[in-house]
Amino acid sequence: MLLIIGSLNANAAAMEDDVHSWLQRMVSAVHTLNYEGTFVFLHNAQLESMQIVHTVDNGGEKERLVSLNGVPREVFRDNASVTCIAPDAKSVSIGNRVSGNGLRAVFSVDISQLSDYYNFHLLGEQRVAGRSARVVAIIPTDAYRYGYRLYLDTEYALPLKTDMLNVSGVSISQLMFTQLQVHTSSREIAEISLDGKENYQWVQQKPMRAISDAQLSGWSFRDLPKGFDVTLHSKRKAKNQAGEIDHFVLSDGLASLSVYVEAAADVGLRGSSTMGTVNAFGNEVAGYQVTAVGEVPALTVERIAKSLQPSK
C-alpha cells in the first residue's frame, strides 16, 4: 500500500512539474520569439480579426497589432510605451506600457505564486491553426477569479488559442490564431507613419503619480478575497473638479482590477455594471465615489469595492 501511495504521489509531482514546464516555456516563447500571424478575438459577442508581428532585438521587444475588420485600429508596443492609432477618429494616444490584463496577463503566469488560488492540469492534445497543441487548464479554487484553457503549440509552446472561463467553466472570451509563423531572426517593424498626421490629435497620457505606503491616501482594504493584494497606489488630478483621484490596482498574480476613489458626484455608478468579461461596481463611502472595475467576476468587484474604508 505504501508503495502504491508513493507511486501516486510521484506521478502527481511529475504531472505538476510537466504543467509548470509547459507554462514556463509559454511565458518565455511569448516574450522572446520572433513571430507573426493572424488571430481572431471573440469578446462581448464581437469577433475581431487582428494581424500581429512580434520581434526581439538588442532594443528589446517590439510588437505591432493591426485590426483587419471593423473600425481601423493599430497598436505599437515596445519596452517603454504603447501607441494606439485610430484613423477614423484622427487620434494617436501614447502611454506607458503596463503589465497585461485579462487574456494577456496569463502570458506571464507563474505557478509558484498562484498554486494557492488555482489548480493546473494537462488535458491532452488538440489541433489549432493546423498545428498540434498541448492543452493546459488553469482552474480557480474559488468564485473570485476567472479560469483559463490554453492550447500551447507543441513545438514552440506559443499559445495558439486561449479561452477565458467563467466560474461554471464556460468560455466567455477567446483568442485563436488562424495562421502563425515563427522566425529564427528578428523581423523589421516599420516606424509609425501617418498620412496627414498634422490633422491628428496627439494625446500623451500622463502617468499617475505613484505613492509609497508611507504616503497612503487614508484608505484601507479590510476584507479582500484570498490572494488579492494592492500592487499599485497612485494619484492624479481630477479633470473636471477639484481634488485628486486615488487609483489602486489589486492582483492575485493573474487576475487584476482597478479601484478609483474620487469626490462623490450624482453621475457616479451605483451598484453593478457588466460589459462582456468586464464587471464594475460602484458605491459611495464617506462622501467619496468608489468604483471597482476589471476582468474578474461581479462578486469580486463588489466585495473589493465594499471592503475599502477610510483608515482610522
Side-chain angles (χ1 to χ4, degrees):
M1 179 63 72
L2 291 177
L3 289 176
I4 293 175
I5 294 174
S7 177
L8 290 174
N9 289 337
N11 289 338
M15 183 67 72
E16 181 177 344
D17 289 341
D18 201 20
V19 172
H20 196 173
S21 175
W22 273 104
L23 291 175
Q24 282 183 322
R25 286 182 61 202
M26 177 196 71
V27 172
S28 176
V30 166
H31 298 290
T32 64
L33 293 183
N34 301 291
Y35 52 90
E36 61 182 309
T38 303
F39 65 87
V40 292
F41 183 32
L42 177 63
H43 63 115
N44 301 345
Q46 296 182 344
L47 184 64
E48 297 183 48
S49 179
M50 305 285 292
Q51 186 179 61
I52 183 173
V53 179
H54 179 273
T55 189
V56 182
D57 55 24
N58 292 336
E61 282 187 77
K62 294 179 182 178
E63 183 177 273
R64 198 182 195 108
L65 291 161
V66 179
S67 63
L68 300 179
N69 69 310
V71 177
R73 288 289 186 273
E74 188 169 345
V75 177
F76 179 85
R77 297 189 183 98
D78 58 22
N79 288 349
S81 64
V82 178
T83 302
C84 301
I85 305 169
D88 61 319
K90 296 290 185 181
S91 69
V92 178
S93 175
I94 303 173
N96 292 338
R97 181 164 182 167
V98 295
S99 300
N101 295 317
L103 286 174
R104 289 193 63 84
V106 76
F107 301 150
S108 299
V109 66
D110 183 350
I111 285 183
S112 63
Q113 297 181 2
L114 301 175
S115 57
D116 288 341
Y117 324 119
Y118 299 87
N119 293 318
F120 301 84
H121 306 282
L122 290 176
L123 301 180
E125 293 189 8
Q126 290 195 23
R127 191 165 174 266
V128 179
R131 304 177 67 92
S132 175
R134 195 65 188 268
V135 186
V136 177
I138 303 176
I139 307 300
T141 58
D142 58 32
Y144 289 104
R145 47 211 108 210
Y146 291 140
Y148 296 88
R149 189 166 49 237
L150 312 174
Y151 299 73
L152 307 182
D153 181 75
T154 54
E155 183 177 3
Y156 297 106
L158 284 168
L160 299 175
K161 182 182 177 184
T162 305
D163 296 341
M164 180 183 284
L165 312 173
N166 66 13
V167 294
S168 300
V170 176
S171 177
I172 53 177
S173 182
Q174 295 182 331
L175 184 154
M176 184 179 71
F177 275 93
T178 58
Q179 182 271 331
L180 177 68
Q181 289 181 295
V182 179
H183 304 286
T184 56
S185 59
S186 61
R187 313 300 288 176
E188 185 69 25
I189 296 183
E191 294 297 325
I192 294 173
S193 177
L194 298 173
D195 293 331
K197 62 182 180 181
E198 64 277 2
N199 297 320
Y200 277 66
Q201 179 183 7
W202 290 71
V203 179
Q204 179 73 51
Q205 297 179 4
K206 295 181 179 180
M208 298 183 78
R209 174 170 53 87
I211 62 177
S212 66
D213 289 341
Q215 299 171 295
L216 210 55
S217 64
W219 297 92
S220 61
F221 293 90
R222 301 180 182 177
D223 184 30
L224 292 175
K226 181 181 178 181
F228 281 92
D229 289 307
V230 176
T231 59
L232 174 68
H233 175 210
S234 54
K235 285 178 176 287
R236 71 177 176 208
K237 290 184 178 179
K239 288 185 178 180
N240 300 319
Q241 59 189 38
E244 293 185 309
I245 298 174
D246 281 283
H247 176 208
F248 299 90
V249 176
L250 296 93
S251 176
D252 67 356
L254 178 54
S256 64
L257 69 155
S258 290
V259 177
Y260 299 93
V261 184
E262 57 190 307
D266 294 337
V267 296
L269 175 66
R270 297 292 184 270
S272 300
S273 177
T274 298
M275 181 177 291
T277 60
V278 177
N279 285 289
F281 184 88
N283 63 338
E284 186 175 332
V285 178
Y288 287 84
Q289 170 70 32
V290 176
T291 306
V293 58
E295 279 194 308
V296 291
L299 179 69
T300 311
V301 289
E302 179 175 355
R303 177 168 170 179
I304 288 179
K306 290 182 176 179
S307 75
L308 186 66
Q309 299 293 330
S311 300
K312 293 182 179 180

PDB file of all heavy atoms in Angstrom, residues 191-206:
ATOM      1  N   GLU A 191       8.499  51.942 -38.545  1.00  0.00           N
ATOM      2  CA  GLU A 191       8.108  53.001 -37.621  1.00  0.00           C
ATOM      3  C   GLU A 191       6.731  53.538 -38.019  1.00  0.00           C
ATOM      4  O   GLU A 191       6.305  53.430 -39.172  1.00  0.00           O
ATOM      5  CB  GLU A 191       9.138  54.131 -37.654  1.00  0.00           C
ATOM      6  CG  GLU A 191      10.503  53.731 -37.126  1.00  0.00           C
ATOM      7  CD  GLU A 191      10.475  53.337 -35.667  1.00  0.00           C
ATOM      8  OE1 GLU A 191       9.681  53.944 -34.909  1.00  0.00           O
ATOM      9  OE2 GLU A 191      11.214  52.418 -35.285  1.00  0.00           O
ATOM     10  N   ILE A 192       6.049  54.127 -37.066  1.00  0.00           N
ATOM     11  CA  ILE A 192       4.710  54.649 -37.318  1.00  0.00           C
ATOM     12  C   ILE A 192       4.777  55.782 -38.340  1.00  0.00           C
ATOM     13  O   ILE A 192       5.573  56.708 -38.224  1.00  0.00           O
ATOM     14  CB  ILE A 192       4.070  55.149 -36.013  1.00  0.00           C
ATOM     15  CG1 ILE A 192       3.839  53.965 -35.077  1.00  0.00           C
ATOM     16  CG2 ILE A 192       2.776  55.887 -36.276  1.00  0.00           C
ATOM     17  CD1 ILE A 192       3.367  54.367 -33.715  1.00  0.00           C
ATOM     18  N   SER A 193       3.951  55.679 -39.367  1.00  0.00           N
ATOM     19  CA  SER A 193       3.891  56.703 -40.396  1.00  0.00           C
ATOM     20  C   SER A 193       2.435  56.991 -40.704  1.00  0.00           C
ATOM     21  O   SER A 193       1.672  56.084 -41.042  1.00  0.00           O
ATOM     22  CB  SER A 193       4.623  56.231 -41.659  1.00  0.00           C
ATOM     23  OG  SER A 193       4.510  57.185 -42.689  1.00  0.00           O
ATOM     24  N   LEU A 194       2.033  58.249 -40.571  1.00  0.00           N
ATOM     25  CA  LEU A 194       0.637  58.626 -40.770  1.00  0.00           C
ATOM     26  C   LEU A 194       0.503  59.650 -41.885  1.00  0.00           C
ATOM     27  O   LEU A 194       1.231  60.644 -41.903  1.00  0.00           O
ATOM     28  CB  LEU A 194       0.052  59.219 -39.479  1.00  0.00           C
ATOM     29  CG  LEU A 194      -0.002  58.304 -38.255  1.00  0.00           C
ATOM     30  CD1 LEU A 194      -0.448  59.102 -37.044  1.00  0.00           C
ATOM     31  CD2 LEU A 194      -0.938  57.150 -38.494  1.00  0.00           C
ATOM     32  N   ASP A 195      -0.414  59.368 -42.801  1.00  0.00           N
ATOM     33  CA  ASP A 195      -0.720  60.353 -43.826  1.00  0.00           C
ATOM     34  C   ASP A 195      -1.536  61.487 -43.206  1.00  0.00           C
ATOM     35  O   ASP A 195      -2.535  61.226 -42.524  1.00  0.00           O
ATOM     36  CB  ASP A 195      -1.517  59.712 -44.968  1.00  0.00           C
ATOM     37  CG  ASP A 195      -0.694  58.692 -45.743  1.00  0.00           C
ATOM     38  OD1 ASP A 195       0.543  58.861 -45.798  1.00  0.00           O
ATOM     39  OD2 ASP A 195      -1.281  57.734 -46.277  1.00  0.00           O
ATOM     40  N   GLY A 196      -1.111  62.699 -43.421  1.00  0.00           N
ATOM     41  CA  GLY A 196      -1.835  63.835 -42.866  1.00  0.00           C
ATOM     42  C   GLY A 196      -1.775  63.889 -41.356  1.00  0.00           C
ATOM     43  O   GLY A 196      -2.742  64.268 -40.697  1.00  0.00           O
ATOM     44  N   LYS A 197      -0.611  63.483 -40.790  1.00  0.00           N
ATOM     45  CA  LYS A 197      -0.523  63.392 -39.329  1.00  0.00           C
ATOM     46  C   LYS A 197      -0.721  64.746 -38.640  1.00  0.00           C
ATOM     47  O   LYS A 197      -1.044  64.794 -37.452  1.00  0.00           O
ATOM     48  CB  LYS A 197       0.818  62.789 -38.916  1.00  0.00           C
ATOM     49  CG  LYS A 197       2.037  63.592 -39.324  1.00  0.00           C
ATOM     50  CD  LYS A 197       3.297  62.860 -38.898  1.00  0.00           C
ATOM     51  CE  LYS A 197       4.564  63.635 -39.299  1.00  0.00           C
ATOM     52  NZ  LYS A 197       5.781  62.885 -38.904  1.00  0.00           N
ATOM     53  N   GLU A 198      -0.529  65.847 -39.398  1.00  0.00           N
ATOM     54  CA  GLU A 198      -0.738  67.160 -38.793  1.00  0.00           C
ATOM     55  C   GLU A 198      -2.207  67.386 -38.440  1.00  0.00           C
ATOM     56  O   GLU A 198      -2.540  68.271 -37.641  1.00  0.00           O
ATOM     57  CB  GLU A 198      -0.259  68.268 -39.739  1.00  0.00           C
ATOM     58  CG  GLU A 198      -1.024  68.357 -41.056  1.00  0.00           C
ATOM     59  CD  GLU A 198      -0.522  67.374 -42.103  1.00  0.00           C
ATOM     60  OE1 GLU A 198       0.401  66.599 -41.788  1.00  0.00           O
ATOM     61  OE2 GLU A 198      -1.052  67.390 -43.224  1.00  0.00           O
ATOM     62  N   ASN A 199      -3.105  66.575 -39.021  1.00  0.00           N
ATOM     63  CA  ASN A 199      -4.532  66.701 -38.727  1.00  0.00           C
ATOM     64  C   ASN A 199      -4.987  65.782 -37.593  1.00  0.00           C
ATOM     65  O   ASN A 199      -6.153  65.786 -37.220  1.00  0.00           O
ATOM     66  CB  ASN A 199      -5.354  66.388 -39.987  1.00  0.00           C
ATOM     67  CG  ASN A 199      -5.076  67.367 -41.112  1.00  0.00           C
ATOM     68  OD1 ASN A 199      -4.927  68.564 -40.863  1.00  0.00           O
ATOM     69  ND2 ASN A 199      -4.995  66.870 -42.337  1.00  0.00           N
ATOM     70  N   TYR A 200      -4.059  64.973 -37.063  1.00  0.00           N
ATOM     71  CA  TYR A 200      -4.401  64.063 -35.977  1.00  0.00           C
ATOM     72  C   TYR A 200      -4.278  64.765 -34.625  1.00  0.00           C
ATOM     73  O   TYR A 200      -3.445  65.664 -34.452  1.00  0.00           O
ATOM     74  CB  TYR A 200      -3.480  62.841 -35.990  1.00  0.00           C
ATOM     75  CG  TYR A 200      -3.897  61.742 -36.946  1.00  0.00           C
ATOM     76  CD1 TYR A 200      -3.887  61.942 -38.318  1.00  0.00           C
ATOM     77  CD2 TYR A 200      -4.304  60.506 -36.470  1.00  0.00           C
ATOM     78  CE1 TYR A 200      -4.261  60.944 -39.206  1.00  0.00           C
ATOM     79  CE2 TYR A 200      -4.676  59.492 -37.332  1.00  0.00           C
ATOM     80  CZ  TYR A 200      -4.655  59.720 -38.703  1.00  0.00           C
ATOM     81  OH  TYR A 200      -5.031  58.723 -39.556  1.00  0.00           O
ATOM     82  N   GLN A 201      -5.099  64.320 -33.699  1.00  0.00           N
ATOM     83  CA  GLN A 201      -4.964  64.786 -32.321  1.00  0.00           C
ATOM     84  C   GLN A 201      -4.042  63.821 -31.580  1.00  0.00           C
ATOM     85  O   GLN A 201      -4.325  62.637 -31.478  1.00  0.00           O
ATOM     86  CB  GLN A 201      -6.327  64.833 -31.626  1.00  0.00           C
ATOM     87  CG  GLN A 201      -6.233  65.298 -30.177  1.00  0.00           C
ATOM     88  CD  GLN A 201      -7.578  65.267 -29.466  1.00  0.00           C
ATOM     89  OE1 GLN A 201      -8.558  64.778 -30.008  1.00  0.00           O
ATOM     90  NE2 GLN A 201      -7.613  65.777 -28.251  1.00  0.00           N
ATOM     91  N   TRP A 202      -2.948  64.325 -31.070  1.00  0.00           N
ATOM     92  CA  TRP A 202      -1.969  63.500 -30.364  1.00  0.00           C
ATOM     93  C   TRP A 202      -2.176  63.681 -28.861  1.00  0.00           C
ATOM     94  O   TRP A 202      -2.164  64.796 -28.350  1.00  0.00           O
ATOM     95  CB  TRP A 202      -0.547  63.901 -30.750  1.00  0.00           C
ATOM     96  CG  TRP A 202      -0.216  63.529 -32.173  1.00  0.00           C
ATOM     97  CD1 TRP A 202      -0.711  64.107 -33.304  1.00  0.00           C
ATOM     98  CD2 TRP A 202       0.661  62.497 -32.596  1.00  0.00           C
ATOM     99  NE1 TRP A 202      -0.203  63.498 -34.414  1.00  0.00           N
ATOM    100  CE2 TRP A 202       0.655  62.507 -34.020  1.00  0.00           C
ATOM    101  CE3 TRP A 202       1.463  61.563 -31.938  1.00  0.00           C
ATOM    102  CZ2 TRP A 202       1.419  61.618 -34.773  1.00  0.00           C
ATOM    103  CZ3 TRP A 202       2.224  60.693 -32.686  1.00  0.00           C
ATOM    104  CH2 TRP A 202       2.200  60.712 -34.076  1.00  0.00           C
ATOM    105  N   VAL A 203      -2.360  62.562 -28.178  1.00  0.00           N
ATOM    106  CA  VAL A 203      -2.622  62.598 -26.735  1.00  0.00           C
ATOM    107  C   VAL A 203      -1.521  61.833 -26.022  1.00  0.00           C
ATOM    108  O   VAL A 203      -1.348  60.621 -26.224  1.00  0.00           O
ATOM    109  CB  VAL A 203      -3.989  61.979 -26.390  1.00  0.00           C
ATOM    110  CG1 VAL A 203      -4.209  62.007 -24.879  1.00  0.00           C
ATOM    111  CG2 VAL A 203      -5.105  62.711 -27.117  1.00  0.00           C
ATOM    112  N   GLN A 204      -0.744  62.534 -25.219  1.00  0.00           N
ATOM    113  CA  GLN A 204       0.279  61.904 -24.389  1.00  0.00           C
ATOM    114  C   GLN A 204      -0.329  61.669 -23.012  1.00  0.00           C
ATOM    115  O   GLN A 204      -0.587  62.614 -22.264  1.00  0.00           O
ATOM    116  CB  GLN A 204       1.512  62.794 -24.270  1.00  0.00           C
ATOM    117  CG  GLN A 204       2.617  62.220 -23.396  1.00  0.00           C
ATOM    118  CD  GLN A 204       3.348  61.072 -24.067  1.00  0.00           C
ATOM    119  OE1 GLN A 204       3.792  61.186 -25.201  1.00  0.00           O
ATOM    120  NE2 GLN A 204       3.478  59.960 -23.355  1.00  0.00           N
ATOM    121  N   GLN A 205      -0.623  60.409 -22.710  1.00  0.00           N
ATOM    122  CA  GLN A 205      -1.255  60.105 -21.435  1.00  0.00           C
ATOM    123  C   GLN A 205      -0.280  60.381 -20.292  1.00  0.00           C
ATOM    124  O   GLN A 205       0.852  59.903 -20.301  1.00  0.00           O
ATOM    125  CB  GLN A 205      -1.709  58.651 -21.403  1.00  0.00           C
ATOM    126  CG  GLN A 205      -2.766  58.315 -22.436  1.00  0.00           C
ATOM    127  CD  GLN A 205      -3.163  56.858 -22.394  1.00  0.00           C
ATOM    128  OE1 GLN A 205      -2.715  56.091 -21.547  1.00  0.00           O
ATOM    129  NE2 GLN A 205      -4.009  56.451 -23.318  1.00  0.00           N
ATOM    130  N   LYS A 206      -0.753  61.146 -19.332  1.00  0.00           N
ATOM    131  CA  LYS A 206       0.087  61.458 -18.182  1.00  0.00           C
ATOM    132  C   LYS A 206       0.001  60.324 -17.159  1.00  0.00           C
ATOM    133  O   LYS A 206      -1.085  59.920 -16.761  1.00  0.00           O
ATOM    134  CB  LYS A 206      -0.368  62.770 -17.530  1.00  0.00           C
ATOM    135  CG  LYS A 206      -0.184  63.989 -18.422  1.00  0.00           C
ATOM    136  CD  LYS A 206      -0.624  65.244 -17.708  1.00  0.00           C
ATOM    137  CE  LYS A 206      -0.424  66.475 -18.603  1.00  0.00           C
ATOM    138  NZ  LYS A 206      -0.858  67.719 -17.922  1.00  0.00           N
TER     139      LYS A 206
END
